[in-house]
Amino acid sequence: MGRVIVIDHPLAQAILTTLRDKNTKQIEFRKGLVRLGRLMGYEIVKSMDVETVEIETPLGVKAKGVRIRDLDHIVIIQVLRAAMPLVEGLVKIFANARMGVVSARRVEESHKPGSLDFDIEITYVKVPKIFEDDMLIVADPMLATGSTITSVLKHVLKYGIPKRTIIASVIATKYGIERVLREYPFAEIYTVAIDPEINEKGYIVPGLGDAGDRAFGGP
């Protein structure tokens, strides 16, 4: 069953505040996304199953600890290009993750007045085989209308059905969340904030602008 997790950790919220600020420069913005990716990774780990193990310390004494088996079964898909810094942070937690990329572009001219739907152009897909014991993480900083994520999932899930499907976003909207869960009710959505509005151009309000342009420069 799908669920929505809002990361309300004070540090995550402070970083988000910096990202929202129009005066935040490109490098600082990009570093902020990396930091949020790392924090999001910690939150995802908290939901994983652990098993008790026994190890021997250098003193020859046995001690009990835990092992997180899911860490060896992570697949991360980044939606180019905006998700690159976010994924950089996620990989700091999921170092053994298998990686994939999807190049997706929202076709702005496909937008019809009064509608929140856009056509999505997928130009490149490179995804590893996905197995039934995998955890799939699809990263895209902005979950606005849900058009991009639902299109990306349609392509990615052709490579296999994982144990869990997680959407990692920085800001989401209620509309986008409901659309994703309507089409993919098993999905889990991790986000740092749920913003109240989408404007007539399909941008999140108050949002933080175009994450890709702010991280890497405008076209």
mmCIF file of all heavy atoms in Angstrom, residues 146-171:
data_model
loop_
_atom_site.group_PDB
_atom_site.id
_atom_site.type_symbol
_atom_site.label_atom_id
_atom_site.label_comp_id
_atom_site.label_asym_id
_atom_site.label_seq_id
_atom_site.Cartn_x
_atom_site.Cartn_y
_atom_site.Cartn_z
ATOM 1 N N GLY A 146 2.954 15.126 -11.429
ATOM 2 C CA GLY A 146 3.071 13.671 -11.486
ATOM 3 C C GLY A 146 3.261 13.141 -12.893
ATOM 4 O O GLY A 146 3.461 11.935 -13.081
ATOM 5 N N SER A 147 3.227 14.025 -13.903
ATOM 6 C CA SER A 147 3.354 13.568 -15.294
ATOM 7 C C SER A 147 4.696 12.890 -15.544
ATOM 8 O O SER A 147 4.762 11.826 -16.171
ATOM 9 C CB SER A 147 3.203 14.756 -16.250
ATOM 10 O OG SER A 147 1.939 15.350 -16.136
ATOM 11 N N THR A 148 5.777 13.489 -15.043
ATOM 12 C CA THR A 148 7.107 12.934 -15.294
ATOM 13 C C THR A 148 7.297 11.609 -14.581
ATOM 14 O O THR A 148 7.722 10.611 -15.178
ATOM 15 C CB THR A 148 8.196 13.937 -14.859
ATOM 16 O OG1 THR A 148 8.059 15.139 -15.610
ATOM 17 C CG2 THR A 148 9.582 13.353 -15.087
ATOM 18 N N ILE A 149 6.987 11.565 -13.293
ATOM 19 C CA ILE A 149 7.235 10.347 -12.511
ATOM 20 C C ILE A 149 6.424 9.168 -13.037
ATOM 21 O O ILE A 149 6.931 8.048 -13.145
ATOM 22 C CB ILE A 149 6.927 10.594 -11.028
ATOM 23 C CG1 ILE A 149 8.039 11.434 -10.395
ATOM 24 C CG2 ILE A 149 6.785 9.275 -10.263
ATOM 25 C CD1 ILE A 149 9.401 10.751 -10.361
ATOM 26 N N THR A 150 5.154 9.392 -13.367
ATOM 27 C CA THR A 150 4.346 8.276 -13.871
ATOM 28 C C THR A 150 4.878 7.777 -15.209
ATOM 29 O O THR A 150 4.888 6.561 -15.467
ATOM 30 C CB THR A 150 2.867 8.684 -14.002
ATOM 31 O OG1 THR A 150 2.757 9.886 -14.783
ATOM 32 C CG2 THR A 150 2.248 8.915 -12.635
ATOM 33 N N SER A 151 5.359 8.682 -16.044
ATOM 34 C CA SER A 151 5.941 8.267 -17.324
ATOM 35 C C SER A 151 7.241 7.500 -17.116
ATOM 36 O O SER A 151 7.493 6.486 -17.778
ATOM 37 C CB SER A 151 6.195 9.487 -18.211
ATOM 38 O OG SER A 151 4.997 10.131 -18.547
ATOM 39 N N VAL A 152 8.063 7.984 -16.192
ATOM 40 C CA VAL A 152 9.328 7.307 -15.898
ATOM 41 C C VAL A 152 9.067 5.906 -15.329
ATOM 42 O O VAL A 152 9.702 4.928 -15.746
ATOM 43 C CB VAL A 152 10.172 8.145 -14.924
ATOM 44 C CG1 VAL A 152 11.352 7.338 -14.383
ATOM 45 C CG2 VAL A 152 10.675 9.416 -15.605
ATOM 46 N N LEU A 153 8.142 5.798 -14.395
ATOM 47 C CA LEU A 153 7.839 4.487 -13.813
ATOM 48 C C LEU A 153 7.338 3.512 -14.883
ATOM 49 O O LEU A 153 7.661 2.319 -14.836
ATOM 50 C CB LEU A 153 6.798 4.625 -12.704
ATOM 51 C CG LEU A 153 7.298 5.175 -11.371
ATOM 52 C CD1 LEU A 153 6.134 5.393 -10.407
ATOM 53 C CD2 LEU A 153 8.319 4.238 -10.741
ATOM 54 N N LYS A 154 6.572 4.015 -15.832
ATOM 55 C CA LYS A 154 6.068 3.149 -16.902
ATOM 56 C C LYS A 154 7.222 2.487 -17.647
ATOM 57 O O LYS A 154 7.151 1.295 -17.997
ATOM 58 C CB LYS A 154 5.210 3.973 -17.864
ATOM 59 C CG LYS A 154 4.632 3.172 -19.020
ATOM 60 C CD LYS A 154 3.777 4.065 -19.919
ATOM 61 C CE LYS A 154 3.216 3.280 -21.096
ATOM 62 N NZ LYS A 154 2.380 4.142 -21.981
ATOM 63 N N HIS A 155 8.299 3.233 -17.881
ATOM 64 C CA HIS A 155 9.457 2.680 -18.576
ATOM 65 C C HIS A 155 10.307 1.802 -17.665
ATOM 66 O O HIS A 155 10.735 0.707 -18.045
ATOM 67 C CB HIS A 155 10.318 3.818 -19.137
ATOM 68 C CG HIS A 155 9.758 4.438 -20.378
ATOM 69 N ND1 HIS A 155 8.733 5.357 -20.352
ATOM 70 C CD2 HIS A 155 10.081 4.269 -21.690
ATOM 71 C CE1 HIS A 155 8.446 5.729 -21.590
ATOM 72 N NE2 HIS A 155 9.250 5.097 -22.422
ATOM 73 N N VAL A 156 10.561 2.269 -16.438
ATOM 74 C CA VAL A 156 11.474 1.572 -15.535
ATOM 75 C C VAL A 156 10.933 0.208 -15.126
ATOM 76 O O VAL A 156 11.688 -0.785 -15.067
ATOM 77 C CB VAL A 156 11.747 2.447 -14.290
ATOM 78 C CG1 VAL A 156 12.490 1.650 -13.227
ATOM 79 C CG2 VAL A 156 12.547 3.683 -14.689
ATOM 80 N N LEU A 157 9.639 0.123 -14.858
ATOM 81 C CA LEU A 157 9.072 -1.135 -14.373
ATOM 82 C C LEU A 157 8.998 -2.215 -15.447
ATOM 83 O O LEU A 157 8.657 -3.361 -15.150
ATOM 84 C CB LEU A 157 7.695 -0.888 -13.758
ATOM 85 C CG LEU A 157 7.717 -0.042 -12.466
ATOM 86 C CD1 LEU A 157 6.307 0.234 -11.969
ATOM 87 C CD2 LEU A 157 8.545 -0.723 -11.376
ATOM 88 N N LYS A 158 9.350 -1.866 -16.682
ATOM 89 C CA LYS A 158 9.485 -2.887 -17.722
ATOM 90 C C LYS A 158 10.691 -3.791 -17.447
ATOM 91 O O LYS A 158 10.781 -4.892 -17.986
ATOM 92 C CB LYS A 158 9.660 -2.232 -19.089
ATOM 93 C CG LYS A 158 8.447 -1.467 -19.592
ATOM 94 C CD LYS A 158 8.752 -0.790 -20.924
ATOM 95 C CE LYS A 158 7.571 0.033 -21.428
ATOM 96 N NZ LYS A 158 7.890 0.739 -22.702
ATOM 97 N N TYR A 159 11.612 -3.314 -16.614
ATOM 98 C CA TYR A 159 12.839 -4.054 -16.332
ATOM 99 C C TYR A 159 12.710 -4.957 -15.113
ATOM 100 O O TYR A 159 13.681 -5.573 -14.686
ATOM 101 C CB TYR A 159 13.997 -3.070 -16.138
ATOM 102 C CG TYR A 159 14.346 -2.339 -17.408
ATOM 103 C CD1 TYR A 159 13.626 -1.219 -17.810
ATOM 104 C CD2 TYR A 159 15.380 -2.777 -18.226
ATOM 105 C CE1 TYR A 159 13.926 -0.547 -18.986
ATOM 106 C CE2 TYR A 159 15.682 -2.115 -19.406
ATOM 107 C CZ TYR A 159 14.950 -1.003 -19.787
ATOM 108 O OH TYR A 159 15.248 -0.347 -20.957
ATOM 109 N N GLY A 160 11.511 -5.034 -14.533
ATOM 110 C CA GLY A 160 11.275 -5.907 -13.399
ATOM 111 C C GLY A 160 10.443 -5.213 -12.332
ATOM 112 O O GLY A 160 10.409 -3.978 -12.263
ATOM 113 N N ILE A 161 9.786 -6.013 -11.502
ATOM 114 C CA ILE A 161 8.945 -5.484 -10.423
ATOM 115 C C ILE A 161 9.684 -5.684 -9.100
ATOM 116 O O ILE A 161 9.947 -6.819 -8.689
ATOM 117 C CB ILE A 161 7.592 -6.188 -10.369
ATOM 118 C CG1 ILE A 161 6.882 -6.069 -11.721
ATOM 119 C CG2 ILE A 161 6.735 -5.590 -9.259
ATOM 120 C CD1 ILE A 161 6.622 -4.643 -12.174
ATOM 121 N N PRO A 162 10.051 -4.600 -8.420
ATOM 122 C CA PRO A 162 10.818 -4.710 -7.174
ATOM 123 C C PRO A 162 9.931 -4.994 -5.964
ATOM 124 O O PRO A 162 8.695 -4.938 -6.050
ATOM 125 C CB PRO A 162 11.446 -3.318 -7.055
ATOM 126 C CG PRO A 162 10.411 -2.416 -7.652
ATOM 127 C CD PRO A 162 9.799 -3.189 -8.794
ATOM 128 N N LYS A 163 10.591 -5.256 -4.866
ATOM 129 C CA LYS A 163 9.884 -5.453 -3.597
ATOM 130 C C LYS A 163 9.223 -4.160 -3.133
ATOM 131 O O LYS A 163 8.100 -4.170 -2.628
ATOM 132 C CB LYS A 163 10.875 -5.951 -2.534
ATOM 133 C CG LYS A 163 10.279 -6.145 -1.151
ATOM 134 C CD LYS A 163 11.266 -6.799 -0.203
ATOM 135 C CE LYS A 163 12.463 -5.891 0.065
ATOM 136 N NZ LYS A 163 13.370 -6.464 1.094
ATOM 137 N N ARG A 164 9.930 -3.062 -3.297
ATOM 138 C CA ARG A 164 9.406 -1.748 -2.929
ATOM 139 C C ARG A 164 9.763 -0.739 -4.007
ATOM 140 O O ARG A 164 10.838 -0.827 -4.610
ATOM 141 C CB ARG A 164 9.974 -1.279 -1.580
ATOM 142 C CG ARG A 164 9.520 -2.089 -0.391
ATOM 143 C CD ARG A 164 10.241 -1.665 0.890
ATOM 144 N NE ARG A 164 9.975 -0.263 1.248
ATOM 145 C CZ ARG A 164 10.604 0.363 2.253
ATOM 146 N NH1 ARG A 164 11.527 -0.276 2.964
ATOM 147 N NH2 ARG A 164 10.299 1.613 2.522
ATOM 148 N N THR A 165 8.870 0.224 -4.221
ATOM 149 C CA THR A 165 9.106 1.297 -5.177
ATOM 150 C C THR A 165 8.984 2.623 -4.445
ATOM 151 O O THR A 165 7.921 2.947 -3.908
ATOM 152 C CB THR A 165 8.082 1.247 -6.331
ATOM 153 O OG1 THR A 165 8.219 0.001 -7.024
ATOM 154 C CG2 THR A 165 8.309 2.402 -7.302
ATOM 155 N N ILE A 166 10.081 3.380 -4.402
ATOM 156 C CA ILE A 166 10.143 4.619 -3.637
ATOM 157 C C ILE A 166 10.405 5.791 -4.580
ATOM 158 O O ILE A 166 11.294 5.721 -5.442
ATOM 159 C CB ILE A 166 11.253 4.548 -2.571
ATOM 160 C CG1 ILE A 166 10.893 3.490 -1.520
ATOM 161 C CG2 ILE A 166 11.490 5.903 -1.917
ATOM 162 C CD1 ILE A 166 12.004 3.203 -0.528
ATOM 163 N N ILE A 167 9.637 6.855 -4.412
ATOM 164 C CA ILE A 167 9.874 8.101 -5.117
ATOM 165 C C ILE A 167 10.568 9.057 -4.150
ATOM 166 O O ILE A 167 10.044 9.324 -3.060
ATOM 167 C CB ILE A 167 8.561 8.748 -5.607
ATOM 168 C CG1 ILE A 167 7.698 7.731 -6.370
ATOM 169 C CG2 ILE A 167 8.854 9.982 -6.453
ATOM 170 C CD1 ILE A 167 8.357 7.126 -7.564
ATOM 171 N N ALA A 168 11.736 9.555 -4.521
ATOM 172 C CA ALA A 168 12.486 10.486 -3.674
ATOM 173 C C ALA A 168 12.401 11.882 -4.282
ATOM 174 O O ALA A 168 12.940 12.136 -5.362
ATOM 175 C CB ALA A 168 13.946 10.051 -3.568
ATOM 176 N N SER A 169 11.700 12.787 -3.590
ATOM 177 C CA SER A 169 11.542 14.151 -4.090
ATOM 178 C C SER A 169 11.858 15.140 -2.982
ATOM 179 O O SER A 169 11.827 14.791 -1.798
ATOM 180 C CB SER A 169 10.116 14.385 -4.599
ATOM 181 O OG SER A 169 9.195 14.437 -3.521
ATOM 182 N N VAL A 170 12.156 16.360 -3.373
ATOM 183 C CA VAL A 170 12.393 17.424 -2.403
ATOM 184 C C VAL A 170 11.087 18.122 -2.059
ATOM 185 O O VAL A 170 10.763 18.348 -0.894
ATOM 186 C CB VAL A 170 13.425 18.434 -2.938
ATOM 187 C CG1 VAL A 170 13.559 19.626 -1.989
ATOM 188 C CG2 VAL A 170 14.778 17.754 -3.114
ATOM 189 N N ILE A 171 10.328 18.488 -3.083
ATOM 190 C CA ILE A 171 9.021 19.114 -2.889
ATOM 191 C C ILE A 171 7.993 18.386 -3.739
ATOM 192 O O ILE A 171 8.242 18.060 -4.899
ATOM 193 C CB ILE A 171 9.042 20.605 -3.277
ATOM 194 C CG1 ILE A 171 10.067 21.373 -2.434
ATOM 195 C CG2 ILE A 171 7.659 21.227 -3.090
ATOM 196 C CD1 ILE A 171 10.165 22.844 -2.775
#
